[in-house]
Amino acid sequence: MATDDEQIRNLLHQWAETTRKGQLDDVLANHTSDAIIFDVLPPMKYEGTDAYRKSWGEWQPNTVEMGHFDLHDLQVTAGSDVAFAHCFIRCGGTFESGKQFEDWVRATFCLRKINDRWLVEHQHISMPRK
């Protein structure tokens, strides 16, 4: 059986993979329905996964192939029923025009163990000013 640390790492890597692949139905599978999500684009605060899901088409870039959405330097601290994690995320890809883009963002996740399952209750993504 995986440790709490391993379970959380697997959950976050799964989140990154479903985000990268644009699998909307699976991106929030491990979030509580009332999760608070801070993101880099307006309105910047989403109360609940339904609100965040509705914004998906507004910010998910159309790329010619699967883009980058890779976790780097993932750190996890887990207690018996609460945990937090933070990392950098490398985002990028190639637009249909051929122009490439790449950004680095910071991410923090607050998780709670509910019925022996880790779920994200708060997610905060921010982009440093250039």
Side-chain angles (χ1 to χ4, degrees), residues 41-43 46 51-61:
L41 299 175
Y46 300 87
Y52 190 61
R53 186 176 282 115
K54 288 176 187 174
S55 76
W56 185 266
E58 297 172 20
W59 60 265
Q60 182 68 11

Side-chain angles (χ1 to χ4, degrees), residues 1-125:
M1 187 167 147
T3 66
D4 289 327
D5 182 274
E6 292 168 331
Q7 289 175 35
I8 292 166
R9 286 177 183 279
N10 290 340
L11 178 151
L12 294 175
H13 282 289
Q14 179 184 8
W15 168 80
E17 181 178 354
T18 57
T19 300
R20 180 175 43 255
K21 291 181 176 179
Q23 297 173 329
L24 179 57
D25 292 336
D26 299 324
V27 169
L28 301 171
N30 294 306
H31 287 61
T32 61
S33 62
D34 61 347
I36 300 297
I37 300 172
F38 292 149
D39 213 325
V40 296
L41 299 175
M44 297 181 5
K45 180 182 179 184
Y46 300 87
E47 296 186 34
T49 54
D50 285 342
Y52 190 61
R53 186 176 282 115
K54 288 176 187 174
S55 76
W56 185 266
E58 297 172 20
W59 60 265
Q60 182 68 11
N62 291 324
T63 56
V64 293
E65 56 189 37
M66 187 172 17
H68 305 289
F69 197 84
D70 309 310
L71 306 184
H72 290 266
D73 195 26
L74 177 61
Q75 304 293 314
V76 175
T77 302
S80 60
D81 63 348
V82 294
F84 66 89
H86 57 86
C87 64
F88 292 102
I89 303 173
R90 176 180 163 240
C91 313
T94 304
F95 293 118
E96 292 177 359
S97 67
K99 181 179 178 184
Q100 295 184 341
F101 67 98
E102 180 176 287
D103 288 306
W104 284 87
V105 297
R106 302 170 289 219
T108 303
F109 304 90
C110 301
L111 302 96
R112 183 174 304 278
K113 191 181 246 185
I114 301 171
N115 297 324
D116 291 325
R117 180 177 170 214
W118 287 104
L119 296 170
V120 176
E121 284 197 322
H122 176 67
Q123 172 180 312
H124 187 139
I125 309 293

